[in-house]
């Protein structure tokens, strides 16, 4: 059974810092992993999808990596901004299912 | 495409009443997921469909919950009778399931359900 864990649970940083959010999963036989962002009271917005054949994906200031052998994915946020404040969730498949971690709540202050 | 569309956005109902939540997936997507989100339990997968067929409903909490997908463009999640502990935000998501890989999953804006 796939279990997904995210560390840290919460993070508060000043603007401009480079950040690393961590996601661990138990079933290494995954074929993709997806990162989402959720603003308070809103739905989930897809940030990046990494297929198992890929090691990383980049979108703007975001870079996500996938290491199946260690069961880990990291989301790197460069030069953080107050607008990055949100909860970040990773989701790994358990078969056809998307299993979510509990998220990292990020606050970037000016 | 307008994305995944859920209705209603907010629902307040009295305990014991029937509640029906609706979802229109993205056109061309063949997998649909229903999730429930609470502060205590985070995002829980309730049920998912592939090609309109329910594949796994092991996350449905009780027999009071049922879901249908009569066609590729519409799904419902019904709670009958509703209870205060069902209060949560319910999300619908869809994606294209391929033979060797899946596309990104996209979420609707959710339905915030309050049972009083």
């Amino acid at each position: 059974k796939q279990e997904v864990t995210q560390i840290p649970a919460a993070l508060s940083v000043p603007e401009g810092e480079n950040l690393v959010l961590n996601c661990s999963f138990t079933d290494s036989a995954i074929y993709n992993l997806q990162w989402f962002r959720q603003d308070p009271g809103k739905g989930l917005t897809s940030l990046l999808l990494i297929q198992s054949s890929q090691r990383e994906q980049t979108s703007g200031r975001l870079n996500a990596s996938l290491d199946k052998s260690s069961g880990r994915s990291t989301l790197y946020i460069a030069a953080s901004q107050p607008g990055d404040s949100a909860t970040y969730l990773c989701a790994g498949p358990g078969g056809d299912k998307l299993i979510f971690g509990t998220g990292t709540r990020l606050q970037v202050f000016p | 495409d307008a994305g995944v569309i859920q209705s209603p956005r907010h629902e307040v109902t009295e305990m014991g009443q029937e509640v029906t939540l609706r979802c229109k997936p993205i056109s061309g997507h063949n997998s649909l997921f229903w999730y429930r989100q609470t502060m205590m339990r985070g995002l829980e997968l309730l049920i998912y469909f592939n090609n309109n067929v329910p594949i796994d409903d092991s996350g449905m909490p009780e027999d009071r919950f049922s879901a249908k997908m009569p066609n590729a463009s519409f799904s419902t999640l019904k709670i009958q009778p509703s209870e205060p502990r069902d209060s949560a935000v319910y999300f619908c998501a869809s994606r294209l399931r391929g033979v060797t890989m899946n596309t990104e999953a996209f979420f609707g804006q959710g339905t915030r359900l309050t049972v009083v």
Side-chain angles (χ1 to χ4, degrees):
Chain A
K1 178 183 176 183
Q2 179 73 279
E3 293 182 6
V4 181
T5 306
Q6 291 187 246
I7 295 173
L11 191 59
S12 183
V13 299
E15 182 177 12
E17 282 204 3
N18 299 324
L19 308 172
V20 176
L21 307 183
N22 297 294
C23 173
S24 300
F25 45 90
T26 54
D27 184 359
S28 62
I30 67 170
Y31 42 86
N32 60 44
L33 187 132
Q34 193 167 354
W35 282 92
F36 294 85
R37 166 187 173 139
Q38 185 175 30
D39 293 282
K42 304 292 186 182
L44 280 73
T45 300
S46 177
L47 296 174
L48 291 164
L49 170 71
I50 312 174
Q51 301 288 356
S52 63
S53 57
Q54 301 169 320
R55 295 289 300 273
E56 63 181 85
Q57 277 281 11
T58 298
S59 176
R61 295 182 294 107
L62 305 179
N63 175 277
S65 65
L66 176 63
D67 184 344
K68 291 175 60 179
S69 62
S70 65
R72 291 183 182 178
S73 177
T74 60
L75 178 66
Y76 178 81
I77 303 176
S80 58
Q81 303 171 358
D84 295 330
S85 298
T87 296
Y88 291 80
L89 298 134
C90 67
D96 269 341
K97 305 177 187 181
L98 263 182
I99 307 300
F100 280 84
T102 50
T104 294
R105 191 168 59 254
L106 172 65
Q107 181 178 12
V108 181
F109 53 89
Chain B
D1 199 307
V4 177
I5 299 173
Q6 291 187 246
S7 64
R9 292 292 307 278
H10 302 273
E11 176 82 31
V12 180
T13 191
E14 291 185 348
M15 182 174 62
Q17 296 298 306
E18 177 180 296
V19 175
T20 299
L21 311 181
R22 298 172 176 78
C23 175
K24 176 178 168 50
I26 291 174
S27 177
H29 283 186
N30 56 7
S31 287
L32 184 140
F33 304 82
W34 281 101
Y35 287 88
R36 177 172 69 176
Q37 187 176 40
T38 61
M39 288 292 292
M40 291 294 293
R41 301 174 69 94
L43 265 168
E44 301 174 277
L45 177 64
L46 301 177
I47 185 172
Y48 76 95
F49 297 82
N50 284 341
N51 297 311
N52 313 336
V53 177
I55 302 301
D56 188 338
D57 64 354
S58 59
M60 298 284 260
E62 299 172 32
D63 291 345
R64 299 183 295 106
F65 286 69
S66 63
K68 293 182 180 180
M69 192 164 186
N71 56 61
S73 59
F74 184 65
S75 178
T76 59
L77 177 67
K78 184 179 294 187
I79 308 173
Q80 166 63 22
S82 58
E83 297 182 3
R85 59 192 168 124
D86 301 331
S87 298
V89 181
Y90 291 81
F91 287 105
C92 176
S94 72
R95 70 177 177 187
L96 178 62
R97 177 179 180 268
V99 176
T100 58
M101 65 173 60
N102 300 323
T103 65
E104 287 177 90
F106 292 93
F107 277 70
Q109 288 300 299
T111 295
R112 182 174 296 276
L113 174 65
T114 302
V115 183
V116 298

